[in-house]
């Protein structure tokens, strides 16, 4: 009795599908398994770009003032 048959007899048809999918993925070459979730990364990238655009549009001047203030308060090496 192999692994798929063992799971099938214990849990039923649902386990058969899960076992076949799991074993199929294990038998694929590593390069096929490590492709990642491309649509997920695209969505995250687009959402991040959208958030940056909205923040820049709403608070651009305040962010510029904050950055300028922070940079002018930094002193170089050897300053007292």
């Amino acid at each position: 009795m192999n692994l798929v048959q063992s799971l099938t007899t214990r849990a039923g048809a649902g386990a058969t599908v899960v076992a076949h999918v799991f074993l199929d993925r294990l038998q694929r070459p590593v390069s096929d398994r490590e492709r990642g979730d491309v649509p997920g990364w695209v969505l995250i990238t687009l959402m991040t770009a959208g958030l940056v655009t909205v923040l820049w549009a709403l608070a651009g001047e305040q962010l510029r003032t904050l950055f300028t203030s922070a940079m002018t308060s930094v002193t170089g090496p050897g300053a007292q």
Side-chain angles (χ1 to χ4, degrees):
M1 180 178 284
N2 66 23
L3 179 63
V4 174
Q5 290 170 339
S6 174
L7 288 173
T8 303
T9 57
R10 292 183 193 166
T16 304
V17 173
V18 171
H20 279 289
V21 170
F22 179 73
L23 291 175
D24 179 56
R25 290 187 183 205
L26 282 179
Q27 293 171 352
R28 288 184 192 168
V30 174
S31 61
D32 287 347
R33 286 186 277 153
E34 293 185 2
R35 288 179 42 198
D37 181 20
V38 175
W41 286 108
V42 170
L43 181 62
I44 289 171
T45 303
L46 289 175
M47 288 175 62
T48 302
L51 285 171
V52 168
T53 303
V54 168
L55 284 174
W56 197 340
L58 295 176
E61 188 57 39
Q62 291 88 352
L63 291 171
R64 186 175 298 112
T65 302
L66 180 70
F67 179 75
T68 305
S69 171
M71 292 305 291
T72 56
S73 69
V74 174
T75 58
Q80 294 182 8

